Amino acid sequence: MNSSTEIGIGAIHCLLPDTRVAVEDLPEFAMLDAAAADFARGSGVRTVGVFDESEQAPLAARACRELFEAHPGEPDALLLVAPRAPDVLLGSDVCRVQTEAKLNTAFPFTVEGLGCTGSSTAWALARDLLAADPGREQVVIAHASRPTGVDRIRFPVTVVGDGAYAMTMVRGGRPVLRAHREQADGSFHDLFRVEYKETPWYEWREVCQDPSRYRFQLATLSSRRLGAMVDQVLADAGVGRDRIRTSLMQNVTAAAYGFYTSLLGLPIHPVCGRHLAEYGHLGAADVVLNLNALLESGEVERGDLVLVLNNSPVAAWAVTLWEV
């Protein structure tokens, strides 16, 4: 491809809280049973970032505003990666982001139902939207992460922090999206749920229907799917594993980094563990935060290949190969 047909990242802007709260100082920690408390202590999360805002759409809108203040432009489309729970029912969170971010020319819609994997799906969809219509110039993607209800400790998954991002996909952008694969297994659609219809929001509790299914069956399936998808993505791009400069993934627990390093034979960059320890799990924002930090670090050069893995407990997986 030449630069006029290559599609990649135009700009990224991440929002992170100044306030940090230690995991053991979270209000719900004292009410955990022994197994959940041990999990939280051993998750690799030391602190979580906390915003004063209680709603997610304003955070996503702020990320968009600040991005375009630094990098002016008029996107053709706005893709909101859906939060764990919408701010409103029947209304439209993405339309709220559109109006509060003053992106009036951008057609707004939502990528929903894929959990953390939504960001990977969104950047692939943005690439396809630009490739499909030469009249489109730019797509902006946004997401804000906050816990569902008041609890941040998601036993047996992770500990949730606050964060948000906005990023653009454009022609001639870098890193270039070289190859992408994604899959899902709908049989896990109800593994996690919140009974909310007859319960006030401050009593919402996320429940894992079958912790052993999460820890063993889904983990085994994820390792098999991601391993095969990495091979497919590298084959699509016509490169070998020796060409991969580094790999990134979402931040769920510290143990996951060693597991996937061993499984794939590709080390996970330590920026992931640093963000996990400091900010906790930021949902679909994790991979964007990690990729942005890597790009800003100066550790990668033009032409380097970076592999980004993403998965979620709804059994959705994505692998993306970026060329810096």
Side-chain angles (χ1 to χ4, degrees), residues 34-200:
D38 287 345
F39 164 79
R41 292 190 189 96
S43 65
V45 182
R46 294 196 305 269
T47 60
V48 293
V50 178
F51 278 124
D52 292 334
E53 293 91 335
S54 61
E55 292 185 309
Q56 294 146 128
L59 288 173
R62 178 184 158 196
C64 290
R65 286 196 306 273
E66 293 180 3
L67 174 74
F68 286 108
E69 285 170 3
H71 306 277
E74 294 187 1
D76 300 284
L78 163 65
L79 278 66
L80 181 68
V81 180
R84 295 176 179 86
D87 288 339
V88 295
L89 295 175
L90 188 63
S92 173
D93 288 354
V94 67
C95 286
R96 181 180 181 185
V97 173
Q98 182 210 42
T99 191
E100 292 192 6
K102 296 180 172 55
L103 300 176
N104 299 321
T105 62
F107 182 77
F109 63 102
T110 300
V111 177
E112 194 272 337
L114 299 174
C116 308
T117 310
S119 286
S120 298
T121 300
W123 61 45
L125 180 57
R127 185 268 312 266
D128 292 347
L129 287 170
L130 292 170
D133 185 349
R136 298 188 183 111
E137 296 294 334
Q138 185 180 76
V139 177
V140 60
I141 305 166
H143 172 72
S145 169
R146 283 186 51 79
T148 300
V150 296
D151 291 351
R152 294 180 179 274
I153 297 172
R154 297 178 62 203
F155 176 73
V157 184
T158 190
V159 185
V160 176
D162 294 347
Y165 78 84
M167 63 180 286
T168 55
M169 294 287 290
V170 299
R171 290 184 180 80
R174 300 199 79 93
V176 176
L177 199 163
R178 280 294 178 216
H180 175 87
R181 293 269 183 156
E182 56 189 282
Q183 298 179 8
D185 184 335
S187 67
F188 289 87
H189 69 95
D190 61 349
L191 184 57
F192 292 85
R193 63 189 303 166
V194 175
E195 296 294 345
Y196 73 94
K197 289 189 175 180
E198 297 180 2
T199 306

Side-chain angles (χ1 to χ4, degrees), residues 225-246:
R225 291 287 188 99
L226 281 172
M229 290 167 67
V230 167
D231 291 338
Q232 291 168 342
V233 163
L234 296 181
D236 291 342
V239 299
R241 289 172 185 255
D242 60 320
R243 286 285 314 281
I244 304 304
R245 177 68 173 80
T246 192

Side-chain angles (χ1 to χ4, degrees), residues 210-252:
D210 187 345
S212 64
R213 190 176 184 219
Y214 170 76
R215 286 171 164 161
F216 301 108
Q217 186 178 347
L218 181 56
T220 300
L221 183 60
S222 294
S223 65
R224 187 165 66 245
R225 291 287 188 99
L226 281 172
M229 290 167 67
V230 167
D231 291 338
Q232 291 168 342
V233 163
L234 296 181
D236 291 342
V239 299
R241 289 172 185 255
D242 60 320
R243 286 285 314 281
I244 304 304
R245 177 68 173 80
T246 192
S247 301
L248 303 169
M249 60 180 290
Q250 81 274 29
N251 309 329
V252 180

Side-chain angles (χ1 to χ4, degrees), residues 3 13 32 34 86 116 144 181 187 199 211-212 215 220 231 234 242 246 252 260 272 288 290 294 304-305 307-308 322:
S3 60
H13 178 63
L32 299 177
C116 308
R181 293 269 183 156
S187 67
T199 306
S212 64
R215 286 171 164 161
T220 300
D231 291 338
L234 296 181
D242 60 320
T246 192
V252 180
Y260 283 106
C272 303
V288 179
N290 293 340
L294 177 66
D304 283 346
L305 298 179
L307 197 67
V308 178
W322 296 96

Side-chain angles (χ1 to χ4, degrees), residues 14 248-251 257 268-269 271-276 285-296:
C14 297
L248 303 169
M249 60 180 290
Q250 81 274 29
N251 309 329
Y257 304 130
I268 305 300
H269 194 281
V271 70
C272 303
R274 292 198 295 269
H275 286 154
L276 173 72
D286 279 345
V287 290
V288 179
L289 175 65
N290 293 340
L291 180 59
N292 189 51
L294 177 66
L295 296 173
E296 291 183 342

